[in-house]
Amino acid sequence: MKQQVLVLYLSSSSLDDRVVGWSSYDGTGRTNPTTGDSDDPPYETGTDALRDGWRLFQASQLIPPYPGHEYDTSFLKHEFLFEKLE
């Protein structure tokens, strides 16, 4: 059994919100995805990935911004990790 991993960054902490960033890794060796190889996300939302058989195994913690830093830019904080086993 081999693992495929899909990382989706959503515009909020809700799984049904839109995907704003993504990356994928294929342990089966059938594909060789690379960063920036598509302008379109593989799914519109996290729930679309669930409907297609991806299993959610991690979601990022919801950490409030430090006071006075609500509008600082940094990493994409609404990260969801999915997997498929084949």
Side-chain angles (χ1 to χ4, degrees):
M1 194 171 293
K2 297 183 180 173
Q3 183 182 39
Q4 294 176 308
V5 176
L6 175 64
V7 183
L8 297 179
Y9 298 92
L10 306 181
S11 59
S12 79
S13 62
S14 175
L15 270 174
D16 59 358
D17 218 335
R18 68 184 179 84
V19 173
V20 296
W22 64 93
S23 57
S24 59
Y25 306 91
D26 189 352
T28 68
R30 280 185 258 146
T31 64
N32 293 310
T34 184
T35 303
D37 62 359
S38 174
D39 289 334
D40 298 316
Y43 298 97
E44 293 296 317
T45 68
T47 51
D48 289 342
L50 291 175
R51 288 185 194 106
D52 195 33
W54 289 91
R55 300 183 331 166
L56 177 66
F57 70 91
Q58 183 176 334
S60 59
Q61 291 181 328
L62 296 179
I63 301 172
Y66 188 76
H69 294 272
E70 294 84 8
Y71 300 104
D72 289 355
T73 57
S74 183
F75 59 92
L76 296 172
K77 61 184 176 178
H78 303 297
E79 176 183 70
F80 294 84
L81 298 172
F82 297 84
E83 74 171 352
K84 273 189 182 180
L85 297 175
E86 298 203 7

